[in-house]
Amino acid sequence: MTQRLTSLFEVADRFEVIVLDQWGVLHNGSSPYPGAVGCLKKLSSAGIRLAVLSNSGKRARPNAERIHAMGFDRGVFEHVMTSGEALWQDIAEGRVKECRFAPIERAPNDAAQWAEGLDVTVAASVETAEAVLLMGLPDEAAPSDFERVLEVARTRNLPVFCTNPDRAAPRADGQVVLSPGALAHAYADTGGQVRFYGKPHRPVYDALEIALGTTSKRMAMVGDSLEHDVAGGRGAGWSTIFVEGGLHAAAFVEADPLSALSALAAQHDAPLPDYTISRLQ
């Protein structure tokens, strides 16, 4: 049965490491959530090991810099792992044969910056690519914006490497925007080949455990997605803590939190978390 917390400190000492999602937990893409910076500073000062696990198509370093720029102390997080980092490492270690990628990116040059240090080419056109790199979308994007690219990829039987499995993401003022996972799942539903990197898929959890040098399952995943953070954390054998004020904040307005949570789990065919909390505090 899910336990509702008023503070992470109620359970923090039960875990070797607390791992946090980024968007919807730490910040909304523009600014940190109220209390988040102070909460994590106190946890770190109390000797709690903290890490970030993010479905970001970019590598770990630019994400760590973004988090720091929003006011989080550099030393708070022991490690930052992203889905984009996991794919980069797989390519660097020879586990991916494709080397010419047509990018779908949030901003121009995101893919080129991600590919630095790899023997790969960012293709100018999907017609000349060996695969599609689906790493990000502009906030104003609609599925129809990418129909042609994905149709050509489908016709050519190209694999799609999706480094952000999220279907939607929270932004400021309660806005929710389309995320790459929505396109990737649509591509897979029509017979396309998709390789997902990130939550809820197990490899990214294993990669973080290796980076942290731990085999302990006294880990907690803190996230705002039942489908990704909670399901993935459960699959990795970790405890899970759901943040109500992120992606699904609208569902908790003037609603009983545990009832709203049960309804969301049924809607998304996802497991219930071990704990739930309104926000980081």
Side-chain angles (χ1 to χ4, degrees):
M1 182 176 177
T2 301
Q3 177 184 343
R4 192 158 195 263
L5 306 174
T6 57
S7 167
L8 283 181
F9 283 91
E10 294 176 47
V11 294
D13 61 358
R14 301 179 188 179
F15 307 113
E16 179 181 337
V17 186
I18 295 178
V19 180
L20 300 110
D21 180 34
Q22 190 177 170
W23 278 270
V25 174
L26 301 182
H27 61 77
N28 61 19
S30 301
S31 59
Y33 287 110
V37 172
C39 173
L40 297 184
K41 187 173 183 178
K42 289 178 182 177
L43 285 169
S44 179
S45 296
I48 305 298
R49 298 175 69 189
L50 303 173
V52 172
L53 182 55
S54 176
N55 277 358
S56 168
K58 294 184 179 182
R59 294 194 64 192
R61 172 168 279 188
N63 277 276
E65 291 300 323
R66 181 199 343 250
I67 292 167
H68 173 63
M70 288 192 184
F72 294 90
D73 291 349
R74 261 186 220 283
V76 163
F77 299 110
E78 187 172 326
H79 196 82
V80 174
M81 174 61 68
T82 68
S83 42
E85 181 72 26
L87 174 58
W88 195 97
Q89 295 291 347
D90 267 7
I91 294 174
E93 295 171 16
R95 289 190 285 267
V96 174
K97 64 181 179 62
E98 291 82 3
C99 60
R100 190 173 180 86
F101 294 90
I104 296 177
E105 54 196 347
R106 184 177 184 186
N109 296 318
D110 277 355
Q113 292 173 9
W114 167 84
E116 289 177 0
L118 293 175
D119 187 19
V120 301
T121 300
V122 177
S125 167
V126 69
E127 284 85 358
T128 61
E130 296 176 327
V132 173
L133 174 61
L134 177 50
M135 64 179 300
L137 302 177
D139 280 357
E140 66 277 9
S144 58
D145 297 339
F146 309 97
E147 284 180 354
R148 182 198 160 275
V149 170
L150 294 177
E151 183 56 38
V152 172
R154 190 178 295 107
T155 300
R156 297 189 60 221
N157 197 31
L158 300 184
V160 168
F161 287 78
C162 178
T163 53
N164 184 344
D166 290 351
R167 298 174 191 255
R171 294 291 186 264
D173 302 322
Q175 183 185 13
V176 176
V177 300
L178 183 74
S179 284
L183 299 184
H185 282 284
Y187 190 74
D189 289 344
T190 56
Q193 176 190 348
V194 180
R195 288 186 62 178
F196 286 101
Y197 280 78
K199 301 169 291 184
H201 305 280
R202 180 65 180 271
V204 77
Y205 291 85
D206 293 340
L208 181 56
E209 288 183 0
I210 291 170
L212 291 168
T214 181
T215 58
S216 169
K217 292 304 178 182
R218 290 181 55 241
M219 308 270 284
M221 180 73 232
V222 182
D224 66 328
S225 169
L226 294 172
E227 180 183 5
H228 299 101
D229 301 307
V230 173
R234 177 71 57 84
W238 301 1
S239 296
T240 55
I241 303 172
F242 178 77
V243 175
E244 300 158 8
L247 177 62
H248 297 293
F252 292 87
V253 176
E254 298 181 1
D256 172 71
L258 294 180
S259 297
L261 186 61
S262 294
L264 277 175
Q267 178 185 343
H268 293 275
D269 192 24
L272 287 167
D274 298 297
Y275 308 97
T276 184
I277 192 169
S278 61
R279 59 181 174 84
L280 294 186
Q281 54 189 1

